[in-house]
Amino acid sequence: RYDALHAWALAKVAELPAEKRVLVTSHDAYSYFGRAYGFAVVGLQGISTATEAGLADVARLVDFIRERRLKAIFVESSVPHTTIERVARDSGARIGGELFSDALGAVGQIEHGHDVGTYEGMVRHNVTTIVEALK
């Protein structure tokens, strides 16, 4: 099942041109995703969510998003949304959706036809949300 899920994710990501594969989130929790599916991953914060991003971090990310003309950036289910929403406003990008990073969704919560309370459903949700928002 995991091999089939990985094959599905590769095919879904292939719908997105390589130059559009830039994933901007609140913190750097998706490096594994970037390596697996060919995304440049940029987090406002580092791995830890224990500290807030500073003004220089916000300004640097806003400039990056503007320079790359990114259409969408993403909030995470386990990280407060306030700062990344500010980055979206300041950069002109929209919030492309909420991703699961450090947790699954609620068991029985169906999104994109899949139960996000399962690993498979979480992966399908994240991949679909990312690809559709960046198209």
Side-chain angles (χ1 to χ4, degrees):
R1 285 179 59 190
Y2 291 124
D3 287 340
L5 178 61
H6 181 62
W8 171 86
L10 287 169
K12 185 71 178 169
V13 166
E15 297 175 11
L16 193 61
E19 66 273 6
K20 291 189 174 192
R21 293 183 196 165
V22 181
L23 177 61
V24 176
T25 62
S26 299
H27 80 295
D28 192 10
Y30 294 91
S31 59
Y32 71 94
F33 180 87
R35 285 190 307 274
Y37 302 112
F39 278 78
V41 178
V42 180
L44 177 58
Q45 298 168 243
I47 296 293
S48 173
T49 58
T51 59
E52 286 287 321
L55 291 176
D57 299 317
V58 170
R60 197 169 19 258
L61 187 56
V62 166
D63 289 345
F64 174 81
I65 293 165
R66 286 179 178 163
E67 288 168 10
R68 297 292 298 264
R69 297 182 178 165
L70 301 179
K71 289 175 50 175
I73 63 176
F74 301 87
V75 296
E76 297 173 57
S77 62
S78 59
V79 179
H81 298 180
T82 307
T83 306
I84 201 76
E85 287 172 345
R86 177 176 175 195
V87 169
R89 279 192 310 276
D90 291 354
S91 69
R94 67 182 177 83
I95 299 295
E98 183 177 62
L99 305 178
F100 296 105
S101 56
D102 296 332
L104 302 176
V107 174
Q109 179 183 347
I110 306 300
E111 294 188 19
H112 305 298
H114 304 283
D115 185 343
V116 296
T118 67
Y119 177 78
E120 180 179 5
M122 177 272 298
V123 169
R124 289 181 184 273
H125 166 82
N126 282 357
V127 170
T128 301
T129 299
I130 293 165
V131 170
E132 295 305 317
L134 293 177
K135 279 186 177 177

